[in-house]
mmCIF file with all atom_site columns, all heavy atoms in Angstrom:
data_model
loop_
_atom_site.group_PDB
_atom_site.id
_atom_site.type_symbol
_atom_site.label_atom_id
_atom_site.label_alt_id
_atom_site.label_comp_id
_atom_site.label_asym_id
_atom_site.label_entity_id
_atom_site.label_seq_id
_atom_site.pdbx_PDB_ins_code
_atom_site.Cartn_x
_atom_site.Cartn_y
_atom_site.Cartn_z
_atom_site.occupancy
_atom_site.B_iso_or_equiv
_atom_site.pdbx_formal_charge
_atom_site.auth_seq_id
_atom_site.auth_comp_id
_atom_site.auth_asym_id
_atom_site.auth_atom_id
_atom_site.pdbx_PDB_model_num
ATOM 1   N N   . LYS A 1 494 ? 19.002 120.562 350.434 1.00 0.00 ? 494 LYS A N   1
ATOM 2   C CA  . LYS A 1 494 ? 19.296 120.313 351.809 1.00 0.00 ? 494 LYS A CA  1
ATOM 3   C C   . LYS A 1 494 ? 18.048 120.002 352.619 1.00 0.00 ? 494 LYS A C   1
ATOM 4   O O   . LYS A 1 494 ? 18.257 119.218 353.678 1.00 0.00 ? 494 LYS A O   1
ATOM 5   C CB  . LYS A 1 494 ? 19.933 121.732 352.399 1.00 0.00 ? 494 LYS A CB  1
ATOM 6   C CG  . LYS A 1 494 ? 20.717 121.541 353.531 1.00 0.00 ? 494 LYS A CG  1
ATOM 7   C CD  . LYS A 1 494 ? 21.465 122.906 353.815 1.00 0.00 ? 494 LYS A CD  1
ATOM 8   C CE  . LYS A 1 494 ? 22.523 122.686 354.844 1.00 0.00 ? 494 LYS A CE  1
ATOM 9   N NZ  . LYS A 1 494 ? 23.228 124.088 355.014 1.00 0.00 ? 494 LYS A NZ  1
ATOM 10  N N   . TYR A 1 495 ? 16.907 120.536 352.204 1.00 0.00 ? 495 TYR A N   1
ATOM 11  C CA  . TYR A 1 495 ? 15.655 120.223 352.897 1.00 0.00 ? 495 TYR A CA  1
ATOM 12  C C   . TYR A 1 495 ? 14.642 119.606 352.009 1.00 0.00 ? 495 TYR A C   1
ATOM 13  O O   . TYR A 1 495 ? 13.377 119.799 352.323 1.00 0.00 ? 495 TYR A O   1
ATOM 14  C CB  . TYR A 1 495 ? 15.193 121.468 353.557 1.00 0.00 ? 495 TYR A CB  1
ATOM 15  C CG  . TYR A 1 495 ? 16.094 121.934 354.682 1.00 0.00 ? 495 TYR A CG  1
ATOM 16  C CD1 . TYR A 1 495 ? 16.901 123.049 354.434 1.00 0.00 ? 495 TYR A CD1 1
ATOM 17  C CD2 . TYR A 1 495 ? 16.355 121.271 355.898 1.00 0.00 ? 495 TYR A CD2 1
ATOM 18  C CE1 . TYR A 1 495 ? 17.866 123.530 355.459 1.00 0.00 ? 495 TYR A CE1 1
ATOM 19  C CE2 . TYR A 1 495 ? 17.157 121.587 356.857 1.00 0.00 ? 495 TYR A CE2 1
ATOM 20  C CZ  . TYR A 1 495 ? 17.970 122.814 356.647 1.00 0.00 ? 495 TYR A CZ  1
ATOM 21  O OH  . TYR A 1 495 ? 18.850 123.325 357.551 1.00 0.00 ? 495 TYR A OH  1
ATOM 22  N N   . SER A 1 496 ? 15.063 119.031 350.906 1.00 0.00 ? 496 SER A N   1
ATOM 23  C CA  . SER A 1 496 ? 14.151 118.511 349.999 1.00 0.00 ? 496 SER A CA  1
ATOM 24  C C   . SER A 1 496 ? 13.136 117.496 350.574 1.00 0.00 ? 496 SER A C   1
ATOM 25  O O   . SER A 1 496 ? 11.916 117.646 350.478 1.00 0.00 ? 496 SER A O   1
ATOM 26  C CB  . SER A 1 496 ? 14.841 117.736 348.863 1.00 0.00 ? 496 SER A CB  1
ATOM 27  O OG  . SER A 1 496 ? 15.395 118.709 347.920 1.00 0.00 ? 496 SER A OG  1
ATOM 28  N N   . PHE A 1 497 ? 13.617 116.427 351.264 1.00 0.00 ? 497 PHE A N   1
ATOM 29  C CA  . PHE A 1 497 ? 12.687 115.568 351.911 1.00 0.00 ? 497 PHE A CA  1
ATOM 30  C C   . PHE A 1 497 ? 12.036 116.072 353.111 1.00 0.00 ? 497 PHE A C   1
ATOM 31  O O   . PHE A 1 497 ? 10.884 115.695 353.477 1.00 0.00 ? 497 PHE A O   1
ATOM 32  C CB  . PHE A 1 497 ? 13.488 114.271 352.123 1.00 0.00 ? 497 PHE A CB  1
ATOM 33  C CG  . PHE A 1 497 ? 13.982 113.602 350.791 1.00 0.00 ? 497 PHE A CG  1
ATOM 34  C CD1 . PHE A 1 497 ? 15.420 113.601 350.540 1.00 0.00 ? 497 PHE A CD1 1
ATOM 35  C CD2 . PHE A 1 497 ? 13.120 112.905 349.905 1.00 0.00 ? 497 PHE A CD2 1
ATOM 36  C CE1 . PHE A 1 497 ? 15.762 113.052 349.378 1.00 0.00 ? 497 PHE A CE1 1
ATOM 37  C CE2 . PHE A 1 497 ? 13.684 112.461 348.715 1.00 0.00 ? 497 PHE A CE2 1
ATOM 38  C CZ  . PHE A 1 497 ? 14.970 112.507 348.388 1.00 0.00 ? 497 PHE A CZ  1
ATOM 39  N N   . ASN A 1 498 ? 12.733 116.814 353.757 1.00 0.00 ? 498 ASN A N   1
ATOM 40  C CA  . ASN A 1 498 ? 12.073 117.541 354.955 1.00 0.00 ? 498 ASN A CA  1
ATOM 41  C C   . ASN A 1 498 ? 10.840 118.264 354.692 1.00 0.00 ? 498 ASN A C   1
ATOM 42  O O   . ASN A 1 498 ? 9.814  118.255 355.345 1.00 0.00 ? 498 ASN A O   1
ATOM 43  C CB  . ASN A 1 498 ? 13.000 118.473 355.755 1.00 0.00 ? 498 ASN A CB  1
ATOM 44  C CG  . ASN A 1 498 ? 14.532 117.957 355.768 1.00 0.00 ? 498 ASN A CG  1
ATOM 45  O OD1 . ASN A 1 498 ? 15.058 117.558 354.862 1.00 0.00 ? 498 ASN A OD1 1
ATOM 46  N ND2 . ASN A 1 498 ? 15.043 117.738 357.035 1.00 0.00 ? 498 ASN A ND2 1
ATOM 47  N N   . SER A 1 499 ? 10.870 118.905 353.404 1.00 0.00 ? 499 SER A N   1
ATOM 48  C CA  . SER A 1 499 ? 9.758  119.812 353.082 1.00 0.00 ? 499 SER A CA  1
ATOM 49  C C   . SER A 1 499 ? 8.525  118.977 352.463 1.00 0.00 ? 499 SER A C   1
ATOM 50  O O   . SER A 1 499 ? 7.464  119.471 352.482 1.00 0.00 ? 499 SER A O   1
ATOM 51  C CB  . SER A 1 499 ? 10.215 120.771 351.953 1.00 0.00 ? 499 SER A CB  1
ATOM 52  O OG  . SER A 1 499 ? 10.644 120.149 350.739 1.00 0.00 ? 499 SER A OG  1
ATOM 53  N N   . ILE A 1 500 ? 8.898  117.822 352.044 1.00 0.00 ? 500 ILE A N   1
ATOM 54  C CA  . ILE A 1 500 ? 7.867  117.040 351.296 1.00 0.00 ? 500 ILE A CA  1
ATOM 55  C C   . ILE A 1 500 ? 7.258  115.917 352.157 1.00 0.00 ? 500 ILE A C   1
ATOM 56  O O   . ILE A 1 500 ? 6.197  115.365 351.924 1.00 0.00 ? 500 ILE A O   1
ATOM 57  C CB  . ILE A 1 500 ? 8.445  116.531 349.972 1.00 0.00 ? 500 ILE A CB  1
ATOM 58  C CG1 . ILE A 1 500 ? 8.784  117.734 349.122 1.00 0.00 ? 500 ILE A CG1 1
ATOM 59  C CG2 . ILE A 1 500 ? 7.309  115.601 349.186 1.00 0.00 ? 500 ILE A CG2 1
ATOM 60  C CD1 . ILE A 1 500 ? 9.476  117.429 347.892 1.00 0.00 ? 500 ILE A CD1 1
ATOM 61  N N   . LEU A 1 501 ? 8.132  115.275 353.056 1.00 0.00 ? 501 LEU A N   1
ATOM 62  C CA  . LEU A 1 501 ? 7.744  114.100 353.687 1.00 0.00 ? 501 LEU A CA  1
ATOM 63  C C   . LEU A 1 501 ? 6.337  114.264 354.487 1.00 0.00 ? 501 LEU A C   1
ATOM 64  O O   . LEU A 1 501 ? 5.484  113.452 354.441 1.00 0.00 ? 501 LEU A O   1
ATOM 65  C CB  . LEU A 1 501 ? 8.808  113.610 354.584 1.00 0.00 ? 501 LEU A CB  1
ATOM 66  C CG  . LEU A 1 501 ? 9.835  112.724 354.117 1.00 0.00 ? 501 LEU A CG  1
ATOM 67  C CD1 . LEU A 1 501 ? 10.887 112.325 355.107 1.00 0.00 ? 501 LEU A CD1 1
ATOM 68  C CD2 . LEU A 1 501 ? 9.276  111.433 353.373 1.00 0.00 ? 501 LEU A CD2 1
ATOM 69  N N   . VAL A 1 502 ? 6.328  115.293 355.182 1.00 0.00 ? 502 VAL A N   1
ATOM 70  C CA  . VAL A 1 502 ? 5.088  115.637 355.970 1.00 0.00 ? 502 VAL A CA  1
ATOM 71  C C   . VAL A 1 502 ? 3.857  115.737 355.139 1.00 0.00 ? 502 VAL A C   1
ATOM 72  O O   . VAL A 1 502 ? 2.815  115.110 355.436 1.00 0.00 ? 502 VAL A O   1
ATOM 73  C CB  . VAL A 1 502 ? 5.348  116.893 356.901 1.00 0.00 ? 502 VAL A CB  1
ATOM 74  C CG1 . VAL A 1 502 ? 4.120  117.219 357.643 1.00 0.00 ? 502 VAL A CG1 1
ATOM 75  C CG2 . VAL A 1 502 ? 6.434  116.677 357.839 1.00 0.00 ? 502 VAL A CG2 1
ATOM 76  N N   . VAL A 1 503 ? 4.047  116.393 354.072 1.00 0.00 ? 503 VAL A N   1
ATOM 77  C CA  . VAL A 1 503 ? 2.857  116.580 353.105 1.00 0.00 ? 503 VAL A CA  1
ATOM 78  C C   . VAL A 1 503 ? 2.483  115.169 352.512 1.00 0.00 ? 503 VAL A C   1
ATOM 79  O O   . VAL A 1 503 ? 1.287  114.808 352.418 1.00 0.00 ? 503 VAL A O   1
ATOM 80  C CB  . VAL A 1 503 ? 3.216  117.613 351.934 1.00 0.00 ? 503 VAL A CB  1
ATOM 81  C CG1 . VAL A 1 503 ? 2.032  117.769 350.926 1.00 0.00 ? 503 VAL A CG1 1
ATOM 82  C CG2 . VAL A 1 503 ? 3.458  118.983 352.599 1.00 0.00 ? 503 VAL A CG2 1
ATOM 83  N N   . SER A 1 504 ? 3.510  114.483 352.036 1.00 0.00 ? 504 SER A N   1
ATOM 84  C CA  . SER A 1 504 ? 3.250  113.264 351.364 1.00 0.00 ? 504 SER A CA  1
ATOM 85  C C   . SER A 1 504 ? 2.682  112.174 352.380 1.00 0.00 ? 504 SER A C   1
ATOM 86  O O   . SER A 1 504 ? 1.723  111.422 351.966 1.00 0.00 ? 504 SER A O   1
ATOM 87  C CB  . SER A 1 504 ? 4.606  112.579 350.788 1.00 0.00 ? 504 SER A CB  1
ATOM 88  O OG  . SER A 1 504 ? 4.342  111.476 350.029 1.00 0.00 ? 504 SER A OG  1
ATOM 89  N N   . ASP A 1 505 ? 3.033  112.326 353.607 1.00 0.00 ? 505 ASP A N   1
ATOM 90  C CA  . ASP A 1 505 ? 2.511  111.424 354.662 1.00 0.00 ? 505 ASP A CA  1
ATOM 91  C C   . ASP A 1 505 ? 1.151  111.706 354.834 1.00 0.00 ? 505 ASP A C   1
ATOM 92  O O   . ASP A 1 505 ? 0.279  110.744 355.037 1.00 0.00 ? 505 ASP A O   1
ATOM 93  C CB  . ASP A 1 505 ? 3.323  111.591 355.992 1.00 0.00 ? 505 ASP A CB  1
ATOM 94  C CG  . ASP A 1 505 ? 2.843  110.736 357.087 1.00 0.00 ? 505 ASP A CG  1
ATOM 95  O OD1 . ASP A 1 505 ? 2.793  109.511 357.087 1.00 0.00 ? 505 ASP A OD1 1
ATOM 96  O OD2 . ASP A 1 505 ? 2.241  111.404 358.047 1.00 0.00 ? 505 ASP A OD2 1
ATOM 97  N N   . PHE A 1 506 ? 0.629  112.971 354.931 1.00 0.00 ? 506 PHE A N   1
ATOM 98  C CA  . PHE A 1 506 ? -0.716 113.287 355.064 1.00 0.00 ? 506 PHE A CA  1
ATOM 99  C C   . PHE A 1 506 ? -1.507 112.795 353.941 1.00 0.00 ? 506 PHE A C   1
ATOM 100 O O   . PHE A 1 506 ? -2.591 112.227 354.155 1.00 0.00 ? 506 PHE A O   1
ATOM 101 C CB  . PHE A 1 506 ? -0.874 114.858 355.275 1.00 0.00 ? 506 PHE A CB  1
ATOM 102 C CG  . PHE A 1 506 ? -2.268 115.372 355.054 1.00 0.00 ? 506 PHE A CG  1
ATOM 103 C CD1 . PHE A 1 506 ? -3.136 115.077 356.069 1.00 0.00 ? 506 PHE A CD1 1
ATOM 104 C CD2 . PHE A 1 506 ? -2.635 115.924 353.797 1.00 0.00 ? 506 PHE A CD2 1
ATOM 105 C CE1 . PHE A 1 506 ? -4.565 115.540 355.914 1.00 0.00 ? 506 PHE A CE1 1
ATOM 106 C CE2 . PHE A 1 506 ? -3.945 116.399 353.659 1.00 0.00 ? 506 PHE A CE2 1
ATOM 107 C CZ  . PHE A 1 506 ? -4.835 116.228 354.746 1.00 0.00 ? 506 PHE A CZ  1
ATOM 108 N N   . VAL A 1 507 ? -1.122 112.987 352.660 1.00 0.00 ? 507 VAL A N   1
ATOM 109 C CA  . VAL A 1 507 ? -1.833 112.631 351.550 1.00 0.00 ? 507 VAL A CA  1
ATOM 110 C C   . VAL A 1 507 ? -1.980 111.153 351.424 1.00 0.00 ? 507 VAL A C   1
ATOM 111 O O   . VAL A 1 507 ? -3.057 110.579 351.163 1.00 0.00 ? 507 VAL A O   1
ATOM 112 C CB  . VAL A 1 507 ? -1.104 113.133 350.263 1.00 0.00 ? 507 VAL A CB  1
ATOM 113 C CG1 . VAL A 1 507 ? -1.801 112.603 348.971 1.00 0.00 ? 507 VAL A CG1 1
ATOM 114 C CG2 . VAL A 1 507 ? -1.126 114.613 350.137 1.00 0.00 ? 507 VAL A CG2 1
ATOM 115 N N   . GLY A 1 508 ? -0.911 110.430 351.714 1.00 0.00 ? 508 GLY A N   1
ATOM 116 C CA  . GLY A 1 508 ? -1.044 108.924 351.834 1.00 0.00 ? 508 GLY A CA  1
ATOM 117 C C   . GLY A 1 508 ? -1.946 108.421 352.854 1.00 0.00 ? 508 GLY A C   1
ATOM 118 O O   . GLY A 1 508 ? -2.701 107.530 352.574 1.00 0.00 ? 508 GLY A O   1
ATOM 119 N N   . GLN A 1 509 ? -1.956 109.031 354.062 1.00 0.00 ? 509 GLN A N   1
ATOM 120 C CA  . GLN A 1 509 ? -2.789 108.554 355.163 1.00 0.00 ? 509 GLN A CA  1
ATOM 121 C C   . GLN A 1 509 ? -4.281 108.834 354.769 1.00 0.00 ? 509 GLN A C   1
ATOM 122 O O   . GLN A 1 509 ? -5.160 107.979 355.012 1.00 0.00 ? 509 GLN A O   1
ATOM 123 C CB  . GLN A 1 509 ? -2.539 109.363 356.405 1.00 0.00 ? 509 GLN A CB  1
ATOM 124 C CG  . GLN A 1 509 ? -1.129 109.038 356.953 1.00 0.00 ? 509 GLN A CG  1
ATOM 125 C CD  . GLN A 1 509 ? -1.017 107.784 357.808 1.00 0.00 ? 509 GLN A CD  1
ATOM 126 O OE1 . GLN A 1 509 ? -1.962 106.973 357.738 1.00 0.00 ? 509 GLN A OE1 1
ATOM 127 N NE2 . GLN A 1 509 ? 0.032  107.670 358.563 1.00 0.00 ? 509 GLN A NE2 1
#
Side-chain angles (χ1 to χ4, degrees):
K494 205 172 189 177
Y495 296 104
S496 283
F497 297 109
N498 314 59
S499 66
I500 297 174
L501 275 181
V502 176
V503 175
S504 187
D505 175 65
F506 165 76
V507 173
Q509 295 282 14

